Amino acid sequence: MTTTTSFAVDVPAVNVHGVSRIFAARKGPGVTALDDVSLTVAPGEFVSLIGPSGCGKSTLLRLIADLDVPTSGRIEVFGKPARQARIDQDYGIAFQQAGLLPWRTVAGNIELPLELHGVGKAARRRRAAELIALVGLSDFAAHFPDQLSGGMQQRVAIARSLAESPSLLLMDEPFGALDEMTRERMQNELVRICAETQAAVVFVTHSIPEAVFLSNRVVVLEPRPGRIRSIVSVGLGAPSGRGEDLREDEGFFRSLSEVRDLLHGDEAAGASPAGARGVETR
Amino acid sequence: MRRDAHVHPRLRGGLFGLAGLVLLALIWELYKALGPVDGVVIGTLTVLPRTTDLAMPHLWVMFDRLFEPVTGAASALPLWQAVSQGSLFTLGIAAVGWLVGVTVGLALALLMQRFRLAESAILPWIILSQTVPLIAIAPLVRRWGAQIQFGDFTWESWMSVALIASYLAFFPVSIGALRGLASPDANHVDLMHCYAVGWWKTLWRLRLPASVGYLLPALRLAAVSAVVGSVVAEVSIGLRGGIGRLIVEYAGAAGNDPGKPWAPIFGSILVGLVAAGFVGLIGLFLRRFRRGEASA
Amino acid sequence: MRTAQPGLVQTVLAPIVFGVAVILLWQGLVTGLAIKAFILPAPFAIGAEFAGNLNNVAGGMAVTGRNSLIGLVIGALIGIALAIVAALARLLDEMAAPIVAALSVVPIVALAPVLYTMFGAGAETARQLVAALAVFVPVYFNTLKGLRQVRPVDRDLMRAYAVTSWQATRAVTLPTALPFVFTGLRIASSLAVISALIAEYFGGPVGGLGKSITSAASSSNYGLAWAYVLGSIILGLAFYCAALIVEKLVTRRSGG
C-alpha cells in the first residue's frame, strides 16, 4: 500500500494525540490549559466539547484550527498536520460572535472565503445563493449585517463556514449569544445541515442539552489542568433522523443526566467547588 | 413628543447655528455701541477691546468693503475677487500638502502596523513631534527656494509652504490610520488566519475597510492642519499670492480702511470650511464602510 | 502575527536608538554633503548656538511661555464653563455646536492681525487671545463629551433623589467628566504654545520666540534661529509634560 491511499475510510477527520498547551505567564510556571489530551473524530461524526470555564475546550478547538500551536503533542486533520489542513482549507469555522464584516452584504460575507481563494465571480454567486437558501435567508441576501437579528447573523456565519464545502466544521459556541428559543431552532437547523453536508463537526458549548441533542459523542473536560474526564456516546441515531421530538426522548434524558453527573462529579467529591461553574444545566 | 420633533435634525442644526451667528453679531454691535471707546483697561492691560470704528468696524462696513476695489488704482479688482483668488491659491497649496501628508502618514501607519519594532521606535517620535511647535521652522525654509536644484528641478517657495502643510497634516493620519488598522476584532483576524491569506490580502479585505471610521476624522483634521500650515507658512516664508499674505498685507491698511483686514479672514475661514467639506464628501462615498459594527 | 507584548527594552530602547541614529545621520549628512547652514545646520552646531545664547533664548521662552500660559488658562476656563452651560441648556448647545465646529476647522491664527488692532499692537493681548481661542476648541469638545458620559444608572439615581440639575452636575457629572477635561487640556497645552508662537509671525511686539526666529533668519543668522527653534521645542515639551503629569495625577486620584 502506498501513502496515496491516505484518504481511505479509516483516516479520522481529526486526530489529537497527547496534546498539551501551556500559556506562559510573566511570573510563575504558566497556566496549563490542556494536559496530554487525545481525541479522535471520525469523518461525518458530530463531537461536542463541554466543560466548565477554563477547561481548555476553546483552546483545543483553536489548536485544531491552527489558530494556536500546541506546546507538545501532535494534531492531524484528515491525516495532515493542522497547519497544512488550514492552508488547504480543509475545515470551515464559526465563532460565538458571528464576526461578519459590517461593510459587506449577507451574500458578500458568504462569498468572502471564495473570493479570497480566487473562485470566479459566477461560481461565487451560485454558491452563495445555494447557501443562503440552505440557511433560509433568501430574502435577505442584499441586507447588511446590522439589519439582521443575532440569530440571522449567526446563520450567515454558518453559511460562510460551509462556503467551501469543508468535510470538517469547527464551531466555538456558535449559539452562545442567542436566546433560548432561537438557539433551539438553530440547533434543529444545524442537525439538518450536517445531515445534508455529511461534514464532521467539533462543537464547543457549555450547554448540556445542546451537546446531547446535537452530538454522536460528548467529550466532558475538567479544568486546571484541562483534561478529558470522560466521553459519553449519545447513541440517538443518525443526525438525519433527529427532530424536535427527540428532545422528549427517554434516551435524550438519560444521556443528559449522564453528562450532568460527570460535570458535577468533582463537586460531590469536594475536589473543586467551582468545578461546574459556567455550565448551563437546564 | 417634542413639538419640533418633525424638523429635520440637520436643518434644525443649521437654523440654530444661524441663530448663534446672529447672536455673535449682536454682541459685537452691542459692545461697540455701549463699550468705552478706549476699551476696558485694568492697570495698563486692555482686557476688552477699543470700540473705535478703526478697531471694531461695523459689520456692514466689513461686508460693504468686499464689493469695493482693492485699491484706488483704476485696474484694481473688487476686494472679494482678490480674496477669492488668494483663497484658491492657498487651497491649492494646502491640497498638495494634504496629499503628501496623507501619503506619508498612511505609509508610516502601514509600516508600524506591519512591524512591531517600527511602532516602538517611531511612534513616540511622531507624538513628540506634534507636541512641539516645529512649525517654528517655517521662516527657516524660506531660503530653500532657488538654493536647491537637481537637474531641471528647482525647489520653489510654494513647495516649502506645501512641505510645512504636509508636516502638520501627516500626524493625525498616521495616528488615526494606525488605530484604524488595529481596529478589527480578534475574531476577524482569526478568520483571515483560518482562510490562510497573507498580510496584504488581510490589509486590503479587512484592515483598510475597518479603518475607514478612524481614517475620516483623521483626514479632516489633516485637511484643517494643512490649511493652517499653509496660511502660517505663507506669512513666514513670504510667499505672495495666497490668503496668508493678504492677511498680513491688508492688516497694514487697518489704519484708514478698517473693513479691509476682515476680508482675507473671511477668506481663510472659507478655505478651512471647504477643506473640511471636501473630506466630508469623501466620507459620503465611503458610507458603506461606516455601517455600525454588526452587533456580532 | 503580532501577539506578544513588546518588552520594556523594546519600548524604551527602540525610540532612543532611533532618535540617536537620526541625529547622527543628520550630522553626517550635513557635514558629509557640505550642506550650507541656511538650508539645514548640523545638530551639534545648533546645540552650540543654543548654549552660547542661553540668556536670549530663555528670555524669548519666558515671553512666549507667559502668553501661552495666560491663553491656556483663559481658553480652558471659558471652554469648561461654556461646556457646562451647553450640557445643561440644550438650546445653547445647539446654537454653539455649528459655530464651534466651524471654529475647529478654520485657521484661528488668521485673526491675529485684527486682534492686534483691537487691543493695541504693542501689547501681548492679541497673542494670548489667539492661544485662548485655539485652546477653547479641544477643551470645550472634550469637556462636553465627558459631561455626556454619565451612566444612565447614575442619572436615574439623581432623578430619583429629585435633586436640581446643578446638584446633579456637581455630584455625578463633574467627577465622570474630569478625565475627559484633562485629555482636552493635554491637547490644548501643545496648541497654546504653537498658537502663541505663530501669532508672533503676524505682527506685534518683539521679544518672543517667534519674532526672534524671524529676525535671526532675516539677518542670516541661521544657527541662532535654530537655537530659538530648539527653545520653542523645549517650551512645547514643558507644557505638554506638565499637562500630562497633572492629568496622570488627577485621573489616578479619582480612580480612573
Side-chain angles (χ1 to χ4, degrees), chain B residues 182-200:
Chain B
S183 69
D185 298 344
N187 235 338
H188 288 148
V189 178
D190 277 352
L191 197 65
M192 289 294 164
H193 190 63
C194 290
Y195 293 152
V197 296
W199 187 80
W200 284 106

Side-chain angles (χ1 to χ4, degrees), chain B residues 31 36 38-50, chain C residues 66-67 70-71 74 118-129 205:
Chain B
Y31 175 75
D38 285 325
V40 176
V41 182
I42 299 175
T44 55
L45 188 70
T46 315
V47 288
L48 284 175
R50 303 170 218 168
Chain C
R66 188 168 164 273
N67 289 343
I70 293 174
I74 296 175
M118 284 163 70
F119 290 92
E124 303 278 357
T125 320
R127 294 167 183 171
Q128 292 156 3
L129 276 181

Side-chain angles (χ1 to χ4, degrees), chain B residues 5-258:
Chain B
H6 63 278
V7 180
H8 190 276
R10 190 158 292 177
L11 184 71
R12 202 180 140 83
L15 282 176
F16 275 101
L18 210 63
L21 269 183
V22 170
L23 190 70
L24 219 56
L26 273 179
I27 293 174
W28 178 273
E29 288 295 338
L30 215 63
Y31 175 75
K32 182 170 163 53
L34 304 177
V37 174
D38 285 325
V40 176
V41 182
I42 299 175
T44 55
L45 188 70
T46 315
V47 288
L48 284 175
R50 303 170 218 168
T51 56
T52 56
D53 281 344
L54 285 183
M56 287 181 71
H58 284 292
L59 292 170
W60 53 86
V61 172
M62 303 178 195
F63 184 74
D64 288 344
R65 186 63 186 86
L66 288 175
F67 301 98
E68 290 157 21
V70 179
T71 60
S75 59
L77 290 169
L79 186 59
W80 68 270
Q81 215 171 327
V83 167
S84 307
Q85 280 173 7
S87 303
L88 276 179
F89 183 81
T90 301
L91 194 61
I93 294 180
V96 173
W98 183 78
L99 274 177
V100 173
V102 168
T103 312
V104 172
L106 275 179
L108 277 175
L110 287 177
L111 188 75
M112 290 189 287
Q113 154 65 29
R114 185 71 186 86
F115 303 104
R116 188 30 83 65
L117 186 68
E119 185 183 336
S120 299
I122 305 176
L123 190 59
W125 288 102
I126 292 183
I127 292 172
L128 199 70
S129 79
Q130 296 295 316
T131 64
V132 301
L134 258 192
I135 194 176
I137 65 166
L140 302 175
V141 298
R142 171 184 1 209
R143 287 280 298 274
W144 284 14
Q147 296 293 343
I148 299 179
Q149 229 172 343
F150 316 96
D152 283 344
F153 176 81
T154 320
W155 187 267
E156 296 184 36
S157 287
W158 72 265
M159 294 177 187
S160 301
V161 176
L163 185 76
I164 302 266
S166 70
Y167 164 75
L168 289 189
F170 96 93
F171 167 73
V173 178
S174 61
I175 300 291
L178 182 62
R179 220 182 269 162
L181 291 173
S183 69
D185 298 344
N187 235 338
H188 288 148
V189 178
D190 277 352
L191 197 65
M192 289 294 164
H193 190 63
C194 290
Y195 293 152
V197 296
W199 187 80
W200 284 106
K201 256 188 180 172
T202 307
L203 176 73
W204 186 245
R205 297 288 184 189
L206 177 63
R207 294 196 184 278
L208 272 183
S211 70
V212 168
Y214 293 80
L215 212 48
L216 282 173
L219 289 179
R220 191 179 56 96
L221 219 62
V224 175
S225 301
V227 170
V228 174
S230 302
V231 171
V232 173
E234 276 176 19
V235 171
S236 48
I237 290 175
L239 179 69
R240 297 186 155 276
I243 200 81
R245 181 72 192 180
L246 291 184
I247 289 173
V248 173
E249 224 169 77
Y250 291 178
N256 50 17
D257 192 356

Side-chain angles (χ1 to χ4, degrees), chain C residues 24-111:
Chain C
L24 287 181
L25 188 72
W26 176 2
Q27 178 79 24
L29 278 179
V30 170
T31 44
L33 301 177
I35 293 175
K36 299 198 179 60
F38 58 76
I39 292 181
L40 195 65
F44 294 155
I46 296 174
E49 282 282 351
F50 182 78
N53 293 283
L54 206 54
N55 279 340
N56 291 337
V57 178
M61 283 168 73
V63 172
T64 305
R66 188 168 164 273
N67 289 343
S68 314
L69 189 63
I70 293 174
L72 184 61
V73 170
I74 296 175
L77 286 180
I78 296 178
I80 293 170
L82 274 188
I84 291 174
V85 178
L88 292 176
R90 185 156 169 240
L91 182 77
L92 191 110
D93 176 29
E94 283 181 295
M95 265 161 68
I99 294 179
V100 182
L103 200 60
S104 69
V105 301
V106 303
I108 290 163
V109 71
L111 281 173

Side-chain angles (χ1 to χ4, degrees), chain A residues 9 28 40 43 49 68 72 91 121 126 174 187 209 214 247:
Chain A
V9 188
T40 309
L49 309 179
D68 194 3
S72 66
Y91 66 80
K121 199 169 189 175
R126 220 168 30 240
Q187 289 165 4
L214 291 171
R247 293 184 200 277

Side-chain angles (χ1 to χ4, degrees), chain A residues 62 66-67 86-87 89 91 93 95 97-105 112-113 115-117 144-147 153 160, chain B residues 185 187-197 201-202 205-207 209-211 288-296:
Chain A
R62 289 177 64 83
D66 189 42
L67 287 171
R86 173 173 66 83
I87 291 167
Q89 295 296 300
Y91 66 80
I93 193 162
F95 302 101
Q97 252 88 58
L100 305 177
L101 299 182
W103 55 85
R104 281 176 167 251
T105 60
L112 176 70
E115 207 177 317
L116 286 168
H117 297 127
F144 283 91
D146 58 322
Q147 297 167 316
Q153 287 182 20
R160 181 178 61 186
Chain B
D185 298 344
N187 235 338
H188 288 148
V189 178
D190 277 352
L191 197 65
M192 289 294 164
H193 190 63
C194 290
Y195 293 152
V197 296
K201 256 188 180 172
T202 307
R205 297 288 184 189
L206 177 63
R207 294 196 184 278
S211 70
R288 76 162 6 205
F289 297 105
R290 300 165 68 197
R291 298 194 75 94
E293 284 288 325
S295 57

